């Protein structure tokens, strides 16, 4: 009786082997250490009031980024394990991992890096910057925004819990059926994957709606669409894609879950299921997802290049058109992920051509950035270095992508390490470099002090060097016939030296990440001498630089009025000082409901994973009740009076004088 | 001065990398670039052409990037123009909308033509008749059925050189991919589906083949060998299998074979139950032994 | 908020908030549309995969579904009446019309569940075939939306009784009616594509 109450859960689900125990142990120890630390410092109340219940997008952004950075460490750890395995597992040596364990790590690495690192960094930066950039005081739906973050957090928690209790999916990061069906993956691994992504995915979808409305409805007066900063454009495009693509993910995951829990036959082999439909559906989300991630990064590059070249962005209108061309085209290329499924020449040819076509607007953007630099005054601060690294890596990766867009060539490189090298160049080179650049660039605005430049540059050089060293050999390995996700291979193939080089490269990237952490620590240590007192440390062009650093809770004392694309730059040039006129500001009150909603979602997911259905039902009821209780609250906002705003603003000015 | 020495170090480093890579590659087989079959050769040539085309883009872009970055760097302010308010040039922008468009236009034509010409389902033209081989991906081994020769093999497939081979591919487990890189591109193997891959070996040799898509625990060892041999040798091989291996592949022995197993040694069957392949495909399409039920359904319709 | 004296024009702020929320809700409905589009395409792919089991032609009883449809369409009409009453700020009438809508919605849901129940009793559950999986999921997802709409309706009524027809209750009523009409439209598609085509064996 008791056993059935716990579904599939039992003591035997705790980790059995040394490496998993190490991973699980470090997670448990890490969480435990944090809990103890907060208790010792007596900071629970502060944490709850200042952070966990906050609805200030700037703080939510910071929380997103903290989670994403921690997950980056986990994902990078997985990558190092994979590289170690492949560098050692030639011939008789089985390496350090068995195949099942290796496949779990492969799946976890992909899942975590896309959903909890890339998405986390993206939503974090959008939260931090977007409202400031469009002259808004908040997002359209602050409560929804907090809820999105906490759902993201719940999904993240579920993924990491799988390391401690049970196992994770071993079916690859997209869990193709029939392998991911109950018959071939009988453990809870795939269920963890499904519910973690489902919960985080709903959060992303709500964020998409939220930011879309924010951009469309909350721009400062005078900011017509064609006067929006390029980052805002790119976010708008990306969020449009989120709104169209994430429901497809929701459906796909739900159907796979129904197959696994209710014995349905959507993707099963036999009984009228159709696994090819899953592959179509998941990529109908998955390809737009790539652009969801990369478009905001493009936006960041646009801001950075213009700022550090001290020149207006070249070809603004072209850039906008290019972005929207990408949005539309990104829904017409998904089949290029499976040319080898035998769809027929006409279908393959169509999707191949569309894939080539989407490279056109992307290429145009590169030219526009180059010509923004042309006749500029470029200062190569670390954000600019990330941009340069991006152009190099992304161009190489992009060209390899054009090769793969030709079906007849793709047959020979699909599912190989060539493909792995290609998409890492696009996603790391395009997306991650962009977010790192953005983080360095906007860091002073959020925290009020600058990051250590020297360590940042050092981190960059280790990153780019290590990255090329880790992935260029994979192109060669792919051409030598090495498929992806191999836990071991014949020694006679002679692949081992290349795998060792790739492993060394990964290690260098690890050192780069180490320098980034060191940079953070040193910068916090020396924060007093790194204060940004001007609010404009880089010579910025857009509105976020017109307010003090760190940006105050109300963002702007006076709602700005826009007459130009680079409003702040133009104001600086003309020496125009904004008239300070304090006004009452309406701000969202803190609310713990978001935390509870996500907590119940987590319990719901946990119950579904382990077939503890009573828990899921209870959690769902509690979730709905929380929403109703929250809905009955008619005063979710408070007024920050003009007087208080004035007081805070003066305090900021005084602090400035104190340091000067 | 210091900057210049840095550049030289970079150049030397680059050359060293090229040299070491070249030296390493010289002693190793690069399957995709060293094909031993008609299809693989065509695919390699296509890849080389597209790569060359790409270089014509990458080189100018990189040159431009370095040139602009170098010339307009802050330190060089005295020697470089600065036009902070220039934000567009219609002619220039037209040019770089056109360049990639033209390029992609060329690639599109190549894509269109090659997709039809090199469709893996399309039989290869040859004076010799096509050899039909049915491939079944299983957990975790490859079964090859020769329907016309009535034999079957596991993890090894023999083919005569210069003879077109039509591999008809399905899976009796999860989805995976059939790939013998030196002969040509891959094709997915899926339960309840039958795909085709037409290949032709041009040189006698043994070629490696793999499962290219993750398929579970024994995935990495799910390999096979393609033994391409002259027609005479192939005929001898057929006789050998017929005479030396009494094992038969019937429904019962097949059920035994279908159980998950790893590192399965090469196995030969001198007799195969007719229509075994179709049975394997069909069992995912229709319930077994439910024929009467189905028929009444059809009458109802 | 009334005790705080403020220079903020609360009326204008509220109007803007309503505008934002309504627009946001439209965007949400669009995402829900994509979700249903996904389920419809899955149904389109799988509707022939009966795997020896019954097809739509064998299972669907068109007259029954027609009654179901009429019930839901009527509930859309009564929901519209409720909104008209809300424009007149006539709380009693709003409650009355919403009550009727609620009962009609409940009837629809009951009919759907009874239809499901009978199919399962006949051995034709979602486990039977790919076709039945997609049928139960598509129609069931709509049913789940209806359930959620009913809950929302009930909660809004309670708010209305407790607080009166305040701006915020009115805003929620507007969104609810949008939602309800949206589900009606989705049902028209289900009725046509699943039931009408299905019973014709298309």
């Amino acid at each position: 009786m008791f056993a059935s109450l716990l579904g599939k859960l039992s003591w035997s689900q705790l980790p059995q082997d040394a490496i998993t125990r190490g991973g699980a142990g470090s997670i448990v120890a890490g969480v435990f250490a944090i809990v103890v630390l907060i208790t010792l410092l007596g900071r629970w109340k502060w944490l709850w009031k200042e952070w966990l219940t906050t609805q200030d997008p700037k703080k939510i952004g910071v929380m997103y980024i903290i989670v994403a950075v921690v997950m980056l460490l986990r994902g990078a750890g997985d990558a190092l394990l994979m590289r170690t395995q492949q560098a050692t597992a030639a011939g008789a040596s089985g390496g350090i991992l068995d195949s099942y364990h290796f496949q779990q790590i492969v799946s976890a690495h992909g899942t975590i890096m896309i959903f909890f690192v890339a998405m986390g960094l993206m939503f974090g930066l959008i939260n931090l910057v977007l409202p400031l950039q469009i002259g808004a005081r908040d997002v359209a739906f602050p409560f929804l925004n907090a809820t999105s973050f906490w759902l993201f957090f719940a999904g993240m928690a579920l993924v990491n819990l799988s390391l401690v209790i049970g196992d994770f999916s071993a079916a690859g990061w997209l869990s193709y059926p029939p392998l991911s069906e109950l018959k071939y993956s009988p453990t809870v691994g795939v269920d963890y994957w499904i519910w973690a992504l489902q919960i985080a995915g709903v959060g992303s979808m709500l964020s998409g709606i939220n930011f879309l409305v924010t951009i469309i409805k909350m721009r400062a007066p005078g900011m017509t669409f064609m006067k929006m900063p390029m980052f805002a454009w790119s976010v708008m495009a990306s969020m449009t894609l989120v709104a169209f693509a994430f429901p497809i993910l929701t459906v796909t995951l739900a159907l796979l879950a129904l197959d696994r829990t209710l014995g349905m036959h959507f993707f099963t082999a036999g009984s009228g299921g159709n696994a090819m439909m899953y592959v179509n559906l998941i990529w109908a989300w998955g390809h737009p997802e790539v652009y969801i991630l990369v478009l905001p990064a493009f936006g960041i590059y646009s801001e950075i290049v213009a700022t550090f070249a001290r020149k207006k962005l070249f070809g603004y209108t072209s850039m906008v058109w290019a972005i929207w061309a990408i949005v539309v085209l990104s829904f017409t290329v998904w089949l290029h992920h499976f040319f080898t499924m035998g769809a027929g020449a006409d279908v393959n040819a169509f999707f191949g051509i569309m894939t080539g076509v989407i490279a056109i607007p992307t290429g145009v953007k590169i030219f526009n950035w180059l010509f923004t630099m042309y006749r500029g005054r470029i200062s190569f601060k670390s954000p600019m270095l990330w941009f340069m690294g991006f152009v190099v890596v992304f161009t190489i990766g992009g060209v390899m992508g054009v090769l793969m867009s030709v079906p007849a060539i793709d047959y020979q490189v699909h599912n190989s390490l060539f493909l792995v090298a290609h998409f890492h160049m696009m996603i790391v080179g395009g997306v991650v470099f962009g977010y790192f650049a953005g983080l360095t660039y906007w860091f002073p605005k959020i925290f009020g002090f600058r990051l250590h430049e020297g360590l940042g540059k050092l981190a960059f050089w280790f990153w780019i060097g290590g990255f090329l060293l880790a992935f260029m050999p994979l192109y060669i390995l792919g051409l030598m016939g090495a498929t992806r996700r191999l836990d071991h291979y014949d020694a006679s193939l002679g692949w081992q030296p290349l795998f060792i080089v790739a492993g060394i490269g990964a290690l260098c990237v690890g050192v780069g990440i180490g320098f980034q952490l060191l940079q953070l620590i040193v910068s916090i240590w020396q924060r007093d001498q790194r204060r940004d007192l001007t609010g404009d440390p880089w010579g910025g062009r857009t509105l976020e630089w017109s307010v003090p650093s760190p940006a105050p809770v109300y963002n702007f004392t006076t709602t700005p009025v826009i007459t130009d694309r680079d409003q702040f730059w133009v104001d600086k040039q003309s020496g125009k000082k904004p008239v300070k006129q304090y006004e009452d500001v309406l701000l969202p009150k803190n609310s713990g409901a978001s935390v509870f909603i996500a907590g119940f979602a987590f319990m719901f997911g946990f119950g579904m994973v382990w077939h503890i259905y009573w828990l899921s039902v209870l959690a769902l009821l509690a979730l709905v009740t929380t929403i109703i209780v929250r809905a009955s609250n008619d005063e979710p906002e408070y007024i920050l009076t003009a007087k208080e705003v004035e007081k805070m603003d003066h305090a900021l000015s005084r602090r400035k004088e104190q340091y000067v | 001065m210091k900057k210049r020495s840095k550049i030289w170090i970079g150049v030397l480093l680059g050359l060293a990398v090229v040299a070491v890579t070249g030296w390493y590659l010289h002693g190793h087989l690069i399957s995709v670039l060293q094909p031993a079959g008609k299809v693989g050769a065509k695919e390699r040539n296509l890849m080389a052409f597209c790569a060359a085309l790409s270089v014509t883009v990458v080189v100018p872009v990189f040159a431009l990037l370095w040139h602009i970055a170098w010339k307009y760097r802050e330190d060089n302010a005295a020697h470089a123009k600065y036009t902070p308010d220039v934000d567009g040039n219609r002619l220039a922008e037209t040019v770089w909308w056109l360049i990639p468009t033209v390029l992609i236009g060329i690639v599109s034509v190549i894509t269109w033509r090659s997709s039809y010409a090199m469709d893996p389902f399309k039989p290869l033209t040859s004076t010799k008749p096509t050899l039909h081989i049915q491939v079944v991906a299983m957990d975790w081994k490859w079964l090859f059925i020769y329907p016309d020769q009535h034999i079957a093999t596991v993890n090894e497939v023999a083919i005569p050189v210069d003879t077109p081979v039509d591999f008809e591919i399905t899976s009796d487990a999860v989805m995976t991919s059939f790939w013998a890189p030196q002969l040509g591109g891959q094709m997915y193997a899926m339960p309840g589906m039958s795909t085709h891959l037409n290949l032709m070996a041009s040189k006698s040799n043994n070629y490696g083949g793999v499962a290219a898509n993750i398929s579970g625990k024994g995935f990495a060892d799910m390999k096979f060998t393609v033994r391409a041999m002259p027609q005479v040798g192939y005929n001898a091989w057929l006789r050998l299998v017929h005479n030396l291996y009494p094992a038969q592949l019937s429904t019962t022995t097949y059920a035994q074979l279908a159980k998950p197993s790893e590192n399965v040694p090469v196995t030969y069957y001198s007799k195969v139950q007719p229509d075994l392949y179709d049975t394997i495909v069909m069992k995912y399409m229709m319930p077994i032994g439910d024929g009467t039920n189905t028929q009444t359904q059809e009458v109802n319709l | 908020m009334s005790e705080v004296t403020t220079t903020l024009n609360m009326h204008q702020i509220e109007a803007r908030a309503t505008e934002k929320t309504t627009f946001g809700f439209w965007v949400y409905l669009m995402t829900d549309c994509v979700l249903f589009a996904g389920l419809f395409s899955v149904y389109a792919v799988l509707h022939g995969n009966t795997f020896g089991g019954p097809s739509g032609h064998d299972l669907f009883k068109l007259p029954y579904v027609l009654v179901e449809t009429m019930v839901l369409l009527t509930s859309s009409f009564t929901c519209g009446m409720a909104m008209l009453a809300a424009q007149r700020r006539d709380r009693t009438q709003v409650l009355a019309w919403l009550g009727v809508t609620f009962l009609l919605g409940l009837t629809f849901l009951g009919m759907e569940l009874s239809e499901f129940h009978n199919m399962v009793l006949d051995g034709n559950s979602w486990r039977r075939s790919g076709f039945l999986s997609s049928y139960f999921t598509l129609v069931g997802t709509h049913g789940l939306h209806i359930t959620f709409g009913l809950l929302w309706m009930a909660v809004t009524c309670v708010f209305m009784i407790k607080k009166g027809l305040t701006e915020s209750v009115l805003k929620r009523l507007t969104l609810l009616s949008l939602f309800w009409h949206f589900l009606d439209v989705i049902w028209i598609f289900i009725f046509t594509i699943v039931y009408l085509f299905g019973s014709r064996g298309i």
Side-chain angles (χ1 to χ4, degrees):
Chain A
M1 177 61 197
F2 183 66
S4 69
L5 272 182
L6 288 179
K8 295 165 91 175
L9 202 56
S10 75
W11 287 114
S12 62
Q13 301 292 344
L14 291 172
Q16 307 294 333
D17 66 287
I19 291 177
T20 323
R21 277 196 183 144
S26 56
I27 287 182
V28 173
V31 172
F32 187 69
I34 292 170
V35 170
V36 168
L37 194 70
I38 297 170
T39 313
L40 284 181
L41 295 175
R43 286 289 191 144
W44 280 111
K45 205 173 167 190
W46 166 83
L47 191 68
W48 179 257
K49 276 185 74 177
E50 288 293 314
W51 289 95
L52 306 188
T53 59
T54 188
Q55 308 222 338
D56 180 351
K58 295 181 286 298
K59 285 186 174 171
I60 290 173
V62 171
M63 292 195 289
Y64 263 116
I65 284 166
I66 291 173
V67 174
V69 168
V70 174
M71 283 301 98
L72 174 71
L73 297 180
R74 157 105 208 253
D78 287 340
L80 282 173
L81 271 177
M82 277 147 57
R83 284 280 135 263
T84 314
Q85 170 71 11
Q86 291 193 316
T88 53
S93 155
I96 53 169
L97 304 163
D98 62 73
S99 68
Y100 184 64
H101 195 167
F102 178 79
Q103 288 164 2
Q104 284 183 60
I105 291 177
V106 170
S107 313
H109 170 79
T111 307
I112 287 174
M113 287 301 201
I114 294 290
F115 286 91
F116 300 107
V117 178
M119 291 294 273
L121 289 176
M122 177 183 85
F123 279 125
L125 282 170
I126 295 175
N127 265 296
L128 292 177
V129 180
L130 183 84
L132 281 167
Q133 231 186 18
I134 60 170
R137 289 209 166 99
D138 207 335
V139 297
F141 312 112
F143 176 73
L144 201 63
N145 192 29
T147 309
S148 291
F149 166 74
W150 285 106
L151 288 174
F152 166 81
F153 189 90
M156 183 279 294
L158 217 46
V159 164
N160 286 290
L161 189 67
S162 75
L163 196 58
V164 184
I165 314 169
D167 56 1
F168 194 65
S169 168
W173 82 281
L174 283 184
S175 293
Y176 278 13
L179 182 58
S180 59
E181 290 285 359
L182 204 56
K183 185 178 173 194
Y184 298 100
S185 299
T187 66
V188 293
V190 177
D191 300 299
Y192 266 122
W193 180 83
I194 291 173
W195 291 106
L197 297 200
Q198 191 68 293
I199 291 169
V202 169
S204 302
M205 196 165 80
L206 295 177
S207 283
I209 297 173
N210 205 342
F211 288 115
L212 208 51
V213 178
T214 306
I215 296 174
I216 293 176
K217 291 283 180 192
M218 293 178 70
R219 281 163 291 126
M223 187 182 276
T224 56
F225 278 120
M226 288 316 265
K227 287 201 175 84
M228 273 202 309
M230 196 48 69
F231 179 68
W233 265 119
S234 70
V235 172
M236 185 176 166
S238 165
M239 294 302 114
T240 308
L241 283 175
V242 167
F244 276 99
F246 267 76
I248 307 178
L249 178 71
T250 308
V251 166
T252 314
L253 293 172
L255 301 188
L256 187 61
L258 287 170
D259 272 7
R260 289 179 61 90
T261 47
L262 289 184
M264 291 202 183
H265 296 290
F266 286 105
F267 313 122
T268 52
S271 299
N274 187 337
M276 292 187 292
M277 183 170 68
Y278 179 93
V279 181
N280 274 284
L281 284 170
I282 200 82
W283 284 115
W285 158 81
H287 200 86
E289 167 69 6
V290 176
Y291 289 96
I292 287 169
L293 293 174
V294 86
L295 284 176
F298 285 173
I300 293 171
Y301 294 130
S302 299
E303 302 293 335
I304 282 173
V305 171
T307 300
F308 290 96
R310 260 166 265 158
K311 192 162 160 268
K312 274 188 179 174
L313 183 67
F314 199 92
Y316 179 94
T317 315
S318 267
M319 291 294 236
V320 173
W321 280 104
I323 287 177
W324 287 96
I326 290 174
V327 167
V328 174
L329 290 170
S330 73
F331 276 102
T332 62
V333 298
W334 81 87
L335 197 125
H336 72 214
H337 296 271
F338 45 96
F339 281 142
T340 56
M341 211 153 74
D346 36 9
V347 175
N348 278 359
F350 171 78
F351 281 94
I353 289 171
M354 293 319 282
T355 307
V357 171
I358 204 169
I360 299 174
T362 315
V364 168
K365 293 179 78 74
I366 301 242
F367 279 115
N368 276 332
W369 288 318
L370 285 182
F371 278 81
T372 304
M373 290 159 70
Y374 178 72
R375 291 188 176 169
R377 280 275 150 83
I378 313 162
S379 95
F380 285 97
K381 295 274 166 36
S382 51
M384 199 58 195
L385 287 187
W386 288 112
F387 167 76
M388 298 291 284
F390 149 74
V391 176
V392 172
V393 172
F394 199 78
T395 309
I396 299 174
V399 159
M400 299 300 179
V402 172
L403 284 191
M404 302 184 69
S405 79
V406 183
I409 300 176
D410 180 70
Y411 302 145
Q412 276 289 38
V413 285
H414 185 54
N415 274 326
S416 76
L417 288 175
F418 189 95
L419 167 75
V420 172
H422 158 71
F423 72 68
H424 278 88
M425 290 210 154
M426 306 314 272
I427 294 179
V428 179
V431 176
V432 179
F433 282 14
Y435 294 165
F436 284 164
L439 274 181
T440 320
Y441 180 60
W442 282 305
F443 190 89
K445 184 50 60 194
I446 306 311
F447 295 100
F449 57 95
R450 284 199 243 193
L451 286 172
H452 191 288
E453 183 66 12
L455 283 170
K457 283 188 173 166
L458 206 58
F460 167 77
W461 288 111
F462 268 97
W463 252 100
I464 186 99
F467 182 77
L468 290 173
L469 209 55
F471 287 98
M472 293 311 277
L474 297 200
Y475 282 119
I476 303 172
L477 278 166
L479 295 177
M480 292 173 100
T483 51
R484 59 197 293 206
R485 298 158 174 166
L486 279 180
D487 54 276
H488 64 271
Y489 47 89
D490 274 351
S492 62
L493 294 162
W495 296 346
Q496 197 170 19
L498 286 177
F499 274 121
I500 292 175
V501 171
I504 295 170
L507 214 60
C508 291
V509 173
V511 174
I513 295 176
F515 275 121
Q516 285 176 305
L517 292 180
L518 189 68
Q519 177 195 30
L520 194 65
I521 294 167
V522 169
S523 309
I524 294 174
W525 191 260
Q526 305 174 334
R527 62 187 177 281
D528 280 339
Q529 67 215 65
R530 308 194 162 278
R531 290 262 176 237
D532 165 36
L533 299 168
T534 56
D536 181 26
W538 312 109
R541 314 178 69 84
T542 38
L543 284 178
E544 72 269 31
W545 305 111
S546 70
V547 302
S549 302
V553 61
Y554 47 79
N555 283 7
F556 300 92
T557 49
T558 320
T559 304
V561 178
I562 308 303
T563 52
D564 200 281
R565 253 171 224 164
D566 296 326
Q567 185 68 37
F568 182 54
W569 179 262
V570 172
D571 285 350
K572 280 194 288 186
Q573 295 296 348
S574 65
K576 196 177 106 192
K577 282 268 183 283
V579 208
K580 285 223 165 159
Q581 198 176 26
Y582 298 106
E583 58 192 22
D584 286 0
V585 176
L586 202 62
L587 290 171
K589 287 179 192 162
N590 283 14
S591 165
S594 300
V595 182
F596 287 116
I597 287 174
F600 294 133
F602 174 83
M603 278 155 66
F604 172 78
F606 186 79
M608 292 309 288
V609 168
W610 289 100
H611 296 193
I612 311 172
Y613 296 121
W614 59 266
L615 180 68
S616 295
V617 172
L618 279 185
L620 206 58
L621 286 176
L623 199 155
V624 171
T625 313
T626 315
I627 293 176
I628 293 173
V629 170
R630 165 71 196 182
S632 68
N633 179 0
D634 274 338
E635 290 185 4
E637 289 151 327
Y638 70 97
I639 293 174
L640 194 67
T641 59
K643 256 206 186 107
E644 289 169 295
V645 173
E646 189 174 0
K647 226 166 84 188
M648 288 164 86
D649 192 46
H650 283 233
L652 282 173
S653 322
R654 263 204 307 284
R655 202 202 54 188
K656 187 169 163 182
E657 282 152 22
Q658 177 193 328
Y659 280 106
V660 172
Chain B
M1 196 62 209
K2 211 178 144 223
K3 277 216 164 109
R4 189 151 291 176
S5 66
K6 265 188 192 168
I7 291 172
W8 278 112
I9 292 172
V11 170
L12 284 176
L13 206 68
L15 285 175
V17 168
V18 171
V20 171
T21 315
W23 170 76
Y24 165 78
L25 291 179
H26 188 65
H28 290 95
L29 174 68
I30 309 172
S31 311
V32 171
L33 301 185
Q34 291 161 285
K38 192 175 165 184
V39 176
K42 271 191 182 171
E43 285 164 348
R44 193 260 326 265
N45 296 344
L46 193 63
M47 182 185 263
F49 179 76
C50 288
L53 200 66
S54 303
V55 169
T56 61
V57 189
V58 175
V59 170
V61 168
F62 280 5
L64 208 62
L65 175 72
W66 294 125
H67 170 72
I68 292 177
W70 186 252
K71 181 156 184 202
Y72 298 101
R73 69 189 195 278
E74 216 170 9
D75 310 349
N76 198 33
H79 309 285
K81 258 194 183 172
Y82 176 46
T83 56
D85 291 324
V86 172
D87 63 353
N89 180 323
R90 187 155 292 183
L91 180 71
E93 283 182 74
T94 314
V95 169
W96 58 71
W97 272 99
L98 276 177
I99 294 173
T101 306
V102 168
L103 220 71
I104 293 299
I106 299 171
V107 175
S108 295
V109 174
I110 295 170
T111 301
W112 187 260
R113 287 197 177 159
S114 64
S115 292
Y116 284 94
M118 293 155 79
D119 181 5
F121 277 51
K122 206 175 88 173
L124 299 171
T125 46
S126 167
T127 49
K128 291 193 181 174
T130 302
L131 171 65
H132 293 277
I133 298 178
Q134 295 162 334
V135 184
V136 184
M138 307 165 83
D139 272 348
W140 288 275
K141 62 245 157 201
W142 292 96
L143 171 67
F144 298 93
I145 302 172
Y146 291 67
D148 302 326
Q149 287 72 24
H150 314 293
I151 61 158
T153 58
V154 172
N155 285 348
E156 181 185 291
V157 58
I159 54 170
V161 290
D162 296 325
T163 306
V165 185
D166 175 11
F167 290 100
E168 198 180 354
I169 306 165
T170 190
S171 168
D172 195 8
V174 302
M175 167 178 164
T176 187
S177 192
F178 176 85
W179 189 28
Q182 276 193 280
L183 296 184
Q186 64 194 288
M187 184 53 67
Y188 275 143
M190 297 170 283
M193 284 290 295
S194 210
T195 50
H196 287 266
L197 180 62
N198 284 278
L199 297 174
M200 187 153 100
S202 54
K203 274 179 248 161
S204 301
N205 205 341
N206 288 349
Y207 304 108
V210 293
N213 194 54
I214 191 168
S215 62
K217 195 162 155 270
F219 157 65
D221 286 320
M222 192 173 157
K223 291 173 290 197
F224 60 94
T225 312
V226 183
R227 294 180 60 188
M229 42 185 100
Q231 188 67 44
V232 197
Y234 170 72
N235 292 341
W237 179 84
L238 278 181
R239 273 198 303 278
L240 212 67
V241 173
H242 267 297
N243 299 335
L244 284 187
Y245 297 92
Q248 303 196 355
L249 198 57
S250 63
T251 319
T252 23
T253 45
Y254 177 78
Q256 200 59 35
L257 181 70
K259 288 182 182 157
S261 53
E262 294 172 60
N263 281 310
V264 181
V266 174
T267 318
Y268 305 97
Y269 299 94
S270 56
K271 200 158 177 254
V272 183
Q273 180 185 309
D275 300 332
L276 179 63
Y277 181 86
D278 291 337
T279 320
I280 294 169
V281 177
M282 282 315 289
K283 77 174 176 194
Y284 291 102
M285 311 297 285
M286 269 295 147
I288 301 163
D290 212 14
T292 49
N293 197 353
T294 325
Q295 253 166 15
T296 46
Q297 290 303 323
E298 276 162 9
V299 171
N300 274 344
L301 279 166
Chain C
M1 297 263 151
S2 51
E3 63 271 18
V4 187
T5 43
T6 168
T7 52
L8 289 173
N9 182 346
M10 291 313 283
H11 203 72
Q12 192 192 7
I13 287 174
E14 210 144 285
R16 238 185 250 157
T18 306
E19 193 192 319
K20 264 192 309 206
T21 315
T22 315
F23 179 66
F25 198 74
W26 273 104
V27 179
Y28 156 73
L29 286 183
M30 198 273 308
T31 64
D32 222 12
C33 238
V34 177
L35 186 130
F36 274 107
L39 288 173
F40 271 113
S41 40
V42 166
Y43 179 81
V45 172
L46 293 184
H47 81 284
N49 296 11
T50 54
F51 205 68
S55 67
H57 179 71
D58 309 315
L59 290 174
F60 302 148
K61 298 183 190 71
L62 217 44
Y64 185 85
V65 186
L66 196 64
V67 174
E68 229 182 313
T69 307
M70 289 328 287
V71 169
L72 193 66
L73 287 182
T74 316
S75 85
S76 228
F77 171 74
T78 55
C79 182
M81 293 306 285
M83 281 317 290
L84 285 179
Q87 300 297 323
R88 297 192 306 267
R89 311 284 151 134
D90 186 341
R91 188 167 71 157
T92 332
Q93 279 224 16
V94 176
L95 281 170
W97 282 117
L98 277 187
V100 176
T101 314
F102 187 87
L103 286 179
L104 287 169
L106 210 60
T107 312
F108 170 84
L109 201 63
M111 288 182 80
E112 187 172 303
L113 286 176
S114 133
E115 189 192 17
F116 282 4
H117 185 66
N118 286 332
M119 282 190 194
V120 174
L121 279 188
D122 292 343
N124 298 319
S125 81
W126 50 84
R127 292 163 174 269
R128 185 77 179 82
S129 67
F131 154 65
L132 280 165
S133 299
S134 65
Y135 163 77
F136 276 104
T137 305
L138 171 57
V139 180
T141 304
H142 179 265
L144 217 58
H145 275 72
I146 292 281
T147 314
F148 178 68
L150 289 176
L151 181 70
W152 186 0
M153 213 179 280
V155 170
T156 312
C157 285
V158 172
F159 284 172
M160 206 181 337
I161 293 165
K162 276 173 70 179
K163 300 177 183 174
L165 255 180
T166 60
E167 277 300 314
S168 93
V169 170
L170 205 60
K171 180 168 91 182
R172 281 181 192 145
L173 270 181
T174 318
L175 302 186
L176 175 63
S177 81
L178 266 178
F179 187 65
W180 202 253
H181 294 313
F182 165 75
L183 291 183
D184 220 29
V185 174
I186 296 291
W187 181 260
I188 299 290
F189 279 97
I190 291 181
F191 179 69
T192 314
I193 293 171
V194 176
Y195 290 104
L196 268 184
F197 288 6
S199 59
R200 302 275 151 119
I202 299 171

